[in-house]
Amino acid sequence: MRHVIAFLLFLAITVSYATRVSMSVAIVAMTSPNDYEYPVFDWEKSIQDTILSSFFWGYIVLQVPAGMLAGRFGGNFLILGGMVCTGIVNLLVPVAAVHGNWIAVCACRIAMGLTQGLLYPCVHGFLGHWAPEAERSRLGTFVYAGAQLGTIIEMMTSSLLSASRWGWPSVFYVAGISCIAWSAAWVVLGSSTPGTSRWISKEERKYIETNAASNDIESHKKLSTPWKGIWTSLPFWAILIAHCGQSLGFWTLLTELPSYMSNVLKVNIKDNGLLSALPYLAMYLLSFIFSWLADFLVNRNIISKVTSRKIFNTIAFWGPAVALLVLSYLPPGHLALAVVILTITVGLNGAHYVGFMLSHLDLSPNFASTLMGITNAVAGIFSIMAPLSVSAVVRDQTEASEWRKVFFISISMYFLGNLFYILFITGDVQKWNEPAYDDDEENGNKNEEEKVSKF
């Protein structure tokens, strides 16, 4: 059953990322002439980048509350509500664009960000309850690799749908329907913990609860969030800074790659999505190789867990930094080589799923949802900055030298983010993972039991 839950979470990430990325390709079609008389919008670059970044305006708002709620009460209904609302908002985007204006489209993207802000904290909470420690790298990578598959599918299908007789509105209709279809499957099979699942066997439940190192939901309701312990923890700050570096570097490429392909590499709309998807296909495939290798090295006691996290996070951050540096000085007209370098850049970044992305669970299985909520919220601010920074530094989108400035920003964030991470991260469960219970009577009972036990 843990594999069924992991598969559903993988699909949730896949579908949700598809809805996020849909605008990156669709906005190129929405502002370019077409053969089927669909509306074309005269949005300047600054407006387009505002639309692309507006998703994150809503995304950062509910991260921490969602993490706390998922930790205390489980994420079953939170994730369901988030996916249903995301589907509905996607269906409304074409209406907002045609009958409203770009501000109405921004409003839809903000609403979508709000609803998807529930997703990652919930997923981290599910992994804390459902993934045994020996399987955590593989299951975690499998689930989060859905982000790349969603990106690949959406970039490929968005470009094809936009160029077809169904036009750019179909991009949003397909994404919306997919979210609602996933929600129906989750109603039948989904569950916050092994203890609340209708389908799990007693043997599997015992195995997971013995090896997952997290308390059940009822125990979580009595745990108070150790805010002081979290904010004074240097390993937590290492995760936070790494997450910020990842967000700026990753989302700069994800939101702006179609524009770079179109304006610098001169790729047409039909091929744009296919070529833009290629780097994320590499990331998707390599993430499984990295996760298998990480588990192999740790489970065979070849390296420690924290060493594994540092090695793969370095691959994920400094590898792309070097590749982007090469791309920055690549002369114009080398399309094939540029695509190869971009593929290496994004592909190596897949190692972060067994780097900082799992460190929340290493430090505190009980509060992994809250930790993810905090780091994802702060990192979301850098995701907002990603497309806006392009507008700020790029004056001529057709000049490769202008995009060099964008790449330098990503390079610096990748380098500094990983440097702080490898210096201060640890693989040990923190002592604040087991704070005092809220219920004073419960505390009294526990103290009495300890006294009797000692006597």
Side-chain angles (χ1 to χ4, degrees):
M1 196 60 206
R2 66 188 182 278
H3 299 143
V4 174
I5 294 295
F7 182 65
L8 285 172
L9 296 176
F10 160 78
L11 290 179
I13 298 286
T14 301
V15 172
S16 67
Y17 254 76
T19 64
R20 296 187 201 188
V21 177
S22 59
M23 186 59 76
S24 297
V25 177
I27 202 166
V28 178
M30 295 168 77
T31 54
S32 305
N34 60 77
D35 299 328
Y36 300 99
E37 299 184 356
Y38 285 101
V40 177
F41 303 97
D42 186 22
W43 294 334
E44 57 188 40
K45 179 60 177 171
S46 60
I47 291 177
Q48 294 180 40
D49 287 333
T50 301
I51 292 171
L52 291 173
S53 70
S54 60
F55 171 89
F56 296 98
W57 304 354
Y59 186 67
I60 64 176
V61 174
L62 295 180
Q63 292 286 330
V64 177
M68 294 176 65
L69 289 171
R72 280 190 169 244
F73 305 105
N76 197 28
F77 294 108
L78 284 176
I79 195 171
L80 176 62
M83 292 297 287
V84 169
C85 293
T86 297
I88 294 171
V89 172
N90 261 278
L91 297 175
L92 295 176
V93 170
V95 179
V98 175
H99 299 287
N101 52 29
W102 68 270
I103 297 177
V105 176
C106 276
C108 287
R109 296 285 292 175
I110 292 169
M112 194 186 308
L114 278 169
T115 58
Q116 286 203 23
L118 304 172
L119 182 64
Y120 265 54
C122 288
V123 169
H124 239 51
F126 289 130
L127 289 174
H129 288 296
W130 280 96
E133 194 166 353
E135 303 174 21
R136 193 162 284 162
S137 291
R138 281 167 290 171
L139 288 180
T141 298
F142 173 71
V143 169
Y144 286 118
Q148 274 54 66
L149 185 61
T151 301
I152 295 162
I153 292 172
E154 193 63 25
M155 283 190 166
M156 294 175 66
T157 58
S158 291
S159 59
L160 296 174
L161 287 172
S162 297
S164 72
R165 62 188 180 90
W166 293 290
W168 59 261
S170 61
V171 173
F172 302 103
Y173 294 144
V174 170
I177 292 170
S178 299
C179 287
I180 294 172
W182 179 91
S183 302
W186 183 260
V187 168
V188 177
L189 297 169
S191 179
S192 295
T193 66
T196 56
S197 174
R198 293 175 292 170
W199 308 101
I200 194 169
S201 66
K202 292 181 179 179
E203 292 78 12
E204 186 185 13
R205 177 181 173 180
K206 181 179 179 180
Y207 167 69
I208 295 172
E209 291 179 344
T210 302
N211 294 280
S214 67
N215 294 322
D216 58 28
I217 291 297
E218 290 304 314
S219 297
H220 266 278
K221 290 179 182 179
K222 298 174 182 177
L223 289 175
S224 58
T225 304
W227 293 113
K228 182 179 178 181
I230 291 172
W231 287 110
T232 56
S233 170
L234 203 54
F236 167 73
W237 280 96
I239 300 172
L240 178 61
I241 291 172
H243 204 156
C244 292
Q246 166 67 16
S247 286
L248 184 67
F250 180 80
W251 281 101
T252 297
L253 287 177
L254 189 59
T255 55
E256 298 297 337
L257 191 54
S259 295
Y260 178 76
M261 290 277 189
S262 175
N263 295 307
V264 177
L265 303 181
K266 307 301 181 184
V267 179
N268 63 51
I269 183 64
K270 186 175 287 188
D271 295 331
N272 194 327
L274 298 175
L275 289 178
S276 296
L278 188 59
Y280 298 96
L281 176 61
M283 186 176 184
Y284 176 71
L285 296 175
L286 284 175
S287 65
F288 292 107
I289 296 174
F290 292 138
S291 67
W292 176 85
L293 185 58
D295 270 349
F296 175 83
L297 293 173
V298 173
N299 291 339
R300 295 292 181 92
N301 294 317
I302 298 173
I303 59 176
S304 66
K305 182 168 61 177
V306 68
T307 302
S308 170
R309 300 282 187 257
K310 291 179 180 180
I311 290 172
F312 288 100
N313 210 72
T314 300
I315 293 171
F317 280 52
W318 288 357
V322 172
L324 280 177
L325 186 61
V326 175
L327 182 65
S328 299
Y329 290 97
L330 184 71
H334 294 77
L335 174 61
L337 186 55
V339 172
V340 169
I341 294 172
L342 283 168
T343 301
I344 293 171
T345 301
V346 179
L348 291 177
N349 192 238
H352 83 275
Y353 291 124
V354 285
F356 83 87
M357 201 68 173
L358 292 179
S359 290
H360 309 76
L361 293 163
D362 294 339
L363 298 188
S364 178
N366 283 329
F367 296 99
S369 296
T370 302
L371 299 187
M372 173 56 81
I374 297 169
T375 64
N376 216 21
V378 178
I381 298 172
F382 287 81
S383 301
I384 295 172
M385 293 166 56
L388 296 180
S389 65
V390 176
S391 293
V393 302
V394 175
R395 302 303 177 197
D396 184 354
Q397 293 186 67
T398 62
E399 284 291 330
S401 60
E402 291 288 290
W403 287 86
R404 187 180 300 156
K405 304 171 189 175
V406 176
F407 296 146
F408 278 176
I409 295 172
S410 295
I411 289 168
S412 61
M413 290 299 292
Y414 276 139
F415 178 79
L416 295 174
N418 184 61
L419 180 62
F420 195 89
Y421 179 83
I422 60 177
L423 288 175
F424 298 111
I425 195 59
T426 180
D428 299 328
V429 174
Q430 300 298 286
K431 60 183 180 181
W432 43 264
N433 180 59
E434 297 286 351
Y437 283 80
D438 283 343
D439 189 338
D440 292 336
E441 183 178 347
E442 182 89 13
N443 278 337
N445 290 340
K446 287 179 67 179
N447 291 335
E448 289 299 321
E449 288 173 4
E450 289 174 3
K451 290 177 183 178
V452 171
S453 177
K454 288 178 181 178
F455 178 79

